[in-house]
Amino acid sequence: MDFDESSAQLAVREFSVVLLSGFGNELLPLTGNHGDDPCPKPLLLIANKPMIEYVLSWIEQSGVRDVLLICPAAHRAPLSHYINSDSSASFPSLRIDLQPYEESQDLSVGTCAILRHFAARIQQDFVLLPCDFVPPPSLSLTQILNKFRTESTYDGAIATACFYESHKPEKPASSDEWGPLPTPVPIVWDERSGTLLYVDTPEDVDKNGEEIELRMSLLSKYPRARLSASLLDSHIYVCRRHVLDALHRKPRFDSIREEFIPWLCKPQYQRTRQEKYAAVLSPVTNAASQGLALRHSTLHAKPLDDRPRRPAPSFPGDEGQNEENLRSVVPSPVDGDEGEEPPASLRVGLVVHKASAGYTARANNLHAYLDLNRHFLSQATYSLPSDPENRVLIDHKAQISSDSMIGRSTRVEERASIKKSVIGKHCVIGKMAKIVGCVILDHCVIGDGAKLDGCILGANTKVGEKAELSKCVTQAGYEVGIGESFKNDKLDVSDWTAGAGSSGEEEEDDSEEDDSE
Amino acid sequence: MSPGPSLPVQPPNGPQPNGEPSSGPRSQKSMTKAERRELQERQRAAKAAKPTAAPGAPNAKQAAKSNQPTAAPKKGPDSGAAAAAKTPKDAKAATAVASEGVAGKAHGLRIFSHFGLPKPVSAAKGDIHPAVVRLALQFSNFKITGANARCIATLTAFKTVIQDYATPPNNTLSRHLMTHLSPQISHLVAARPMSVTMGNAIRQLKLEISGSDIDLPEQDAKDALCQKIDNYIRDRIIIADQVIEETAGNKIKDGDVVLTYARSSVVEKVLLGAHSEGRQFSVIIVDSRPMLEGKRLLSVLSSAGIQCTYLLLPALGSVISEVSTVFLGAHSIHSNGAVYARAGTALVAMLAKQHSVPVVVCCETYKFSEGVQLDSFTKNELAPVGDLFSSFPLTKPREALTLHKGPNLEILNPLYDLTPPTSITAVVTEVGVIPPNSISSIPLALGRLL
């Protein structure tokens, strides 16, 4: 029996991806429950594709195979359904391991705790990604991975992060009532070597809200550091495996972004921390390192450190003593070479993505979500669907502008006017409806004559006839009555079902205000 | 030297400037050949009237290319040959540019185009071991440079690959491991062309693999291979360097002024070793762009307490009269005695020879290459454009100083050049001090085929 054996499989995987998916509390009410079913954040549609699809295809392009997707226990079923369904057959080479953790919407577990919990499943260097990051076409994960690979071998760097410049839209499309825009956190970094030096934490802000305190050792190591408050954290962290050991040492930490990464930036220039954590962050392992090669490399200079054993240039007076010192400095080739390793720099690398290089954002709040949809609209042009089934659903008298996107099997009745909007699958847009700048998810029903402006409607929303919604966000399954009108509102199902009387009064108040305007 | 830019623009049949070192009639013949080329180019450009975006070079470059086969092949510094080729080029450039105008500069650089620029390392085809992926990145980003360093790094990475290797069933380690290593080697070569040292080491490794005992259990065979790799590094590089350090160190006497070019790991060890023995000498370090390796050597030597002078290559002429010995490193040494080393070495050797300064090349025997190399045009490597080497001081804005390719500017950085054996006084190897022309007798003396 001669089975055809494939060539030796490399058991070594270089990276594994840890994809974190939370509740998406900033995106409420979109991520609220639809009846009893949850609407997980990663499955929210951006330009009619689930958010997570962008990240997964980005991962696949870079050649990493293993993905550990961590989600709340409540979201496990819909996510597992998505992963195993046909639509995700576009990621054939990814092995997605879905792991739930127990969390409820009120008591949220910090990302540090989650990572500590799953540390046993991560055996190699890992990439921590958020599920809501939409990467720009000009930045590939391979670039960030390459920077990490180069630096961790050459320098002993422990992690690489990626920050991006936030994209400012020309006129703000979203309403302020939806919630505050995330303010970027000030960071200090060195441009020339691409090193992240300091990230402001909420604790630091509490301690001293007016000033940013920097260590002198930071400045003496990197005299040309830059400070910026316009860069947002993309939550992409490529880390060495040993970083998880350091995480275990810090049980107090809750959030990776806000506490752990700023802490990780400190050992590279603070000597006491370096001595304390060097053994954890960069331990001596059996793995062959390139220390000997680096010492022979012509472009590698020994780091000038301020250890006292380095002698001063010889003065004519004390020649004898200097000779002794010099003898100890010159490494003896046979004994010293094996043991001496260039000390690991414990640097945290940084890749900065400029806004001019391409649009990117994290869809973790409503403003960014709407912006991302707008961005994809500006790139697409709408043309009537080619297959006759869908074609027949769209009335020829409907006016659909070219910068809109309409999903499959959506019915658009006559005289409906759709501009600059994303409409999901299986929707029904009634006659004379006017939809401008909206994002409408799947299975919605818009009544005749409804006017929607800058709204985000969750799945299965029903908008009654002649209703007017301006800059509203509705939860999945919400029903807007006939003739109602809302402005700058987040419409929750609980408002609607729970006191019908009180919400009725609210609605009347609103409509009165709106009528007067 | 020829007054290049001040040449009158006249038809080439007129009196020719005798700028070249070669004789008059030969330059005339090459001029007319260039003229014919130019005519051809003009016709071609007129046909392809659409403007192309490729950086244009005046077709006088083709005149230079045609000059090179006709001019006496210079084994000497390629900068010398390039300078000679440039003078008729300047003459033609005036006419060529005037006649051609802006349209039709469709041709990139012809010189050195046969070994092109290093391509960025793309996503690996097939399963490349992570250690090799990282090593290729180190190579392409010029983090690990130098013949010794690259060889040691390659062998270390291969040790990891071998340890992680599992023989598939129905196969033996001695036969299959080589096919397993081949794509890894190609991945490294794609990052940067293989150095002679790497080639020799890999050839030796292949020999060891094919000679490994079939009956050994797999882990033992792998351990034996790793041990052999360690022995190779230890014997042919580390201990060889120690022997060279002692031998060459004996050539340095108190009060000597030693000159070295760029940075060689062996020469660095020699100088540090001699200093630690208590000899008093000073060092002149000659350096050149783009790599500016001499700066790192300067920091190492001066922190060890050696008195150093640092200058760039063009200033060499002003200090050469004070130098007592020149120590040079090598990338490889060929069987005709020519030394292939960092670009600029040949100039240093030539100038030193002119001033009767002994030129000592420190080179381990594993750098010996069986081939014969006559010039540095057929085999060379171009450094990538851009500020890869961080060679500008912190106080100056990097972007303003880095050269970029423009429509009229093409940047060439060949990394190696060839020093002919006539410029070298002696080669110090671990088997002794030998004159360069006897290099080919080393394998025989060592009793093996290398």
Side-chain angles (χ1 to χ4, degrees), chain A residues 8 10 12 14 125 146 149-150 152-154 192 224 288-290 293 296-300 326-327 333-334, chain B residues 127 130 134 137-138 141-145 149 152-153 156 164 166 242 263 269 275 293 296 304 389 392 394:
Chain A
L10 272 182
V12 186
E14 198 183 354
D125 296 345
N146 279 349
R149 284 171 180 141
T150 316
S152 67
T153 317
Y154 180 67
R192 188 182 207 171
R224 319 283 297 177
S289 78
Q290 297 286 8
H296 281 83
S297 168
T298 56
L299 278 179
H300 181 82
L326 289 170
R327 230 174 273 267
V334 181
Chain B
D127 263 335
R134 290 186 190 205
L137 278 173
Q138 307 286 316
N141 290 334
F142 286 83
K143 298 279 189 226
I144 296 186
T145 52
I152 296 176
T156 315
D164 287 336
Q242 284 175 38
R263 184 181 183 192
K269 289 187 191 180
H275 186 78
E293 295 160 304
R296 327 280 170 133
F389 306 111
F392 297 115
L394 286 173

Side-chain angles (χ1 to χ4, degrees), chain B residues 30-45:
Chain B
S30 57
M31 288 296 208
T32 49
K33 200 194 235 184
E35 165 66 4
R36 273 184 264 132
R37 274 277 171 110
E38 201 200 309
L39 204 56
Q40 218 179 12
E41 279 307 306
R42 232 179 291 146
Q43 290 166 353
R44 206 186 300 164

Side-chain angles (χ1 to χ4, degrees), chain A residues 24 54 92 117 130 144 172 196 223 261 287 304 308 391 483:
Chain A
Y54 294 97
H117 186 247
I144 306 180
L196 182 61
I261 295 291
L304 296 164
R391 182 65 183 269

Side-chain angles (χ1 to χ4, degrees), chain A residues 19-20 28 80 105 138 140 149 205 303 335 354 408 489 496:
Chain A
L19 206 50
L20 291 178
L28 280 174
S80 148
Q105 200 141 357
S138 57
S140 73
R149 284 171 180 141
V205 173
D335 316 328
K354 297 274 176 207
R408 230 166 10 122
D489 250 341
W496 166 61

Side-chain angles (χ1 to χ4, degrees), chain A residues 62-305:
Chain A
S62 73
V64 181
R65 303 262 174 81
D66 301 315
V67 179
L68 176 64
L69 177 54
I70 302 179
C71 68
H75 292 173
R76 200 184 76 82
L79 277 176
S80 148
H81 178 74
Y82 169 73
I83 292 171
N84 296 327
S85 73
D86 269 343
S87 59
S88 75
S90 50
F91 314 119
S93 67
L94 290 181
R95 285 189 335 205
I96 305 182
D97 182 18
L98 183 61
Q99 289 296 325
Y101 63 90
E102 287 304 320
E103 181 189 26
S104 69
Q105 200 141 357
D106 315 314
L107 179 67
S108 70
V109 181
T111 40
C112 278
I114 297 174
L115 208 53
R116 268 191 284 263
H117 186 247
F118 287 104
R121 287 183 184 263
I122 305 171
Q123 269 104 29
Q124 56 270 78
D125 296 345
F126 63 97
V127 185
L128 200 59
L129 288 178
C131 63
D132 53 19
F133 182 67
V134 175
S138 57
L139 181 70
S140 73
L141 186 55
T142 318
Q143 278 171 265
I144 306 180
L145 289 181
N146 279 349
K147 182 163 163 72
F148 174 75
R149 284 171 180 141
T150 316
E151 292 191 346
S152 67
T153 317
Y154 180 67
D155 227 355
I158 48 178
T160 300
C162 175
F163 276 65
Y164 64 96
E165 233 173 25
S166 53
H167 173 82
K168 305 235 180 324
E170 309 81 31
K171 46 177 182 132
S174 43
S175 154
D176 288 332
E177 304 264 326
W178 287 356
L181 273 169
T183 49
V185 157
I187 62 167
V188 176
W189 85 101
D190 178 50
E191 183 144 25
R192 188 182 207 171
S193 58
T195 312
L196 182 61
L197 295 170
Y198 173 83
V199 180
D200 214 18
T201 62
E203 260 184 37
D204 292 335
V205 173
D206 284 340
K207 245 193 321 193
N208 190 345
E210 319 236 328
E211 302 167 337
I212 294 181
E213 296 175 350
L214 298 176
R215 294 276 180 128
M216 273 313 290
S217 49
L218 186 161
L219 293 175
S220 51
K221 236 185 167 177
Y222 295 98
R224 319 283 297 177
R226 300 185 64 173
L227 168 69
S228 162
S230 66
L231 294 178
L232 288 171
D233 193 350
S234 65
H235 211 283
I236 301 175
Y237 306 118
V238 187
C239 306
R240 290 178 75 180
R241 174 68 183 66
H242 310 297
V243 166
L244 286 176
D245 300 333
L247 186 60
H248 283 297
R249 287 263 208 113
K250 289 279 177 187
R252 217 173 27 92
F253 280 166
D254 230 2
S255 154
I256 294 183
R257 182 171 61 91
E258 287 178 0
E259 292 170 330
F260 186 56
I261 295 291
W263 176 83
L264 209 58
C265 294
K266 296 207 178 132
Q268 55 187 317
Y269 52 84
Q270 286 184 18
R271 190 140 53 96
T272 43
R273 283 200 207 217
Q274 190 166 32
E275 284 161 11
K276 198 167 155 196
Y277 293 106
V280 177
L281 287 170
S282 170
V284 176
T285 53
N286 275 336
S289 78
Q290 297 286 8
L292 187 60
L294 281 171
R295 251 172 294 132
H296 281 83
S297 168
T298 56
L299 278 179
H300 181 82
K302 296 192 196 111
L304 296 164
D305 48 359

Side-chain angles (χ1 to χ4, degrees), chain B residues 99-442:
Chain B
S99 57
E100 245 197 352
V102 188
K105 287 223 179 119
H107 305 284
L109 210 49
R110 294 301 174 98
I111 189 172
F112 291 149
S113 62
H114 56 284
F115 43 75
L117 287 166
K119 300 181 195 58
V121 183
S122 58
K125 301 180 189 53
D127 263 335
I128 307 285
H129 195 278
V132 173
V133 172
R134 290 186 190 205
L135 186 60
L137 278 173
Q138 307 286 316
F139 282 173
S140 58
N141 290 334
F142 286 83
K143 298 279 189 226
I144 296 186
T145 52
N148 282 345
R150 285 210 276 162
C151 180
I152 296 176
T154 312
L155 289 176
T156 315
F158 280 163
K159 273 205 301 191
T160 319
V161 175
I162 289 176
Q163 284 296 351
D164 287 336
Y165 166 78
T167 320
N170 300 335
N171 250 315
T172 52
L173 183 124
S174 53
R175 287 194 201 121
H176 188 260
L177 182 55
M178 257 354 283
T179 51
H180 178 71
L181 281 179
S182 299
Q184 328 275 341
I185 298 173
S186 338
H187 187 79
L188 286 179
V189 171
R192 254 191 95 182
M194 182 133 75
S195 64
V196 170
T197 49
M198 276 166 69
N200 285 343
I202 290 176
R203 204 174 317 133
Q204 186 70 18
L205 179 64
K206 286 188 183 178
L207 193 62
E208 298 289 349
I209 291 177
S210 61
S212 80
D213 197 354
I214 294 189
D215 296 325
L216 275 180
E218 185 176 325
Q219 190 55 42
D220 288 353
K222 293 201 280 192
D223 288 340
L225 278 175
C226 291
Q227 185 61 40
K228 294 225 173 70
I229 291 179
D230 279 335
N231 290 347
Y232 187 86
I233 297 179
R234 188 197 63 200
D235 295 335
R236 307 297 297 271
I237 306 180
I238 308 291
I239 296 196
D241 281 351
Q242 284 175 38
V243 177
I244 294 177
E245 190 183 316
E246 281 178 39
T247 322
N250 289 334
K251 303 224 166 294
I252 303 179
K253 293 172 275 302
D254 282 346
D256 265 359
V257 177
V258 173
L259 184 130
T260 180
Y261 179 74
R263 184 181 183 192
S264 160
S265 49
V266 195
V267 174
E268 181 180 329
K269 289 187 191 180
V270 166
L271 294 175
L272 287 174
H275 186 78
S276 69
E277 304 221 336
R279 289 175 225 265
Q280 305 292 330
F281 60 96
S282 65
V283 178
I284 298 181
I285 302 172
V286 183
D287 203 8
S288 78
R289 285 192 176 277
M291 291 179 82
L292 285 182
E293 295 160 304
K295 269 198 193 170
R296 327 280 170 133
L297 180 64
L298 178 66
S299 69
V300 171
L301 291 183
S302 53
S303 56
I306 304 177
Q307 210 171 4
C308 298
T309 309
Y310 175 87
L311 43 90
L312 291 180
L313 190 55
L316 180 58
S318 47
V319 296
I320 192 71
S321 42
E322 309 167 354
V323 176
S324 41
T325 337
V326 173
F327 277 87
L328 296 174
H331 176 246
S332 65
I333 197 163
H334 296 269
S335 52
N336 60 328
V339 169
Y340 189 70
R342 183 68 66 217
T345 314
L347 262 181
V348 174
M350 184 178 74
L351 199 57
K353 197 71 182 181
Q354 288 290 336
H355 289 258
S356 315
V357 176
V359 175
V360 176
V361 172
C362 304
C363 174
E364 302 91 336
T365 55
Y366 86 117
K367 285 181 178 164
F368 172 60
S369 154
E370 300 257 337
V372 167
Q373 191 138 359
L374 294 173
D375 60 66
S376 58
F377 293 114
T378 48
K379 175 188 168 195
N380 208 325
E381 189 185 335
L382 293 177
V385 182
D387 189 27
L388 212 52
F389 306 111
S390 301
S391 48
F392 297 115
L394 286 173
T395 47
K396 303 234 190 268
R398 197 158 53 141
E399 290 75 24
L401 293 173
T402 315
L403 282 178
H404 293 288
K405 287 196 191 187
N408 288 330
L409 178 67
E410 186 91 15
I411 300 173
L412 269 188
N413 276 323
L415 286 176
Y416 297 104
D417 72 3
L418 201 74
T419 311
T422 47
S423 307
I424 302 174
T425 315
V427 177
V428 177
T429 64
E430 72 262 28
V431 295
V433 181
I434 46 181
N437 283 313
S438 323
I439 293 283
S440 40
S441 61
I442 294 183

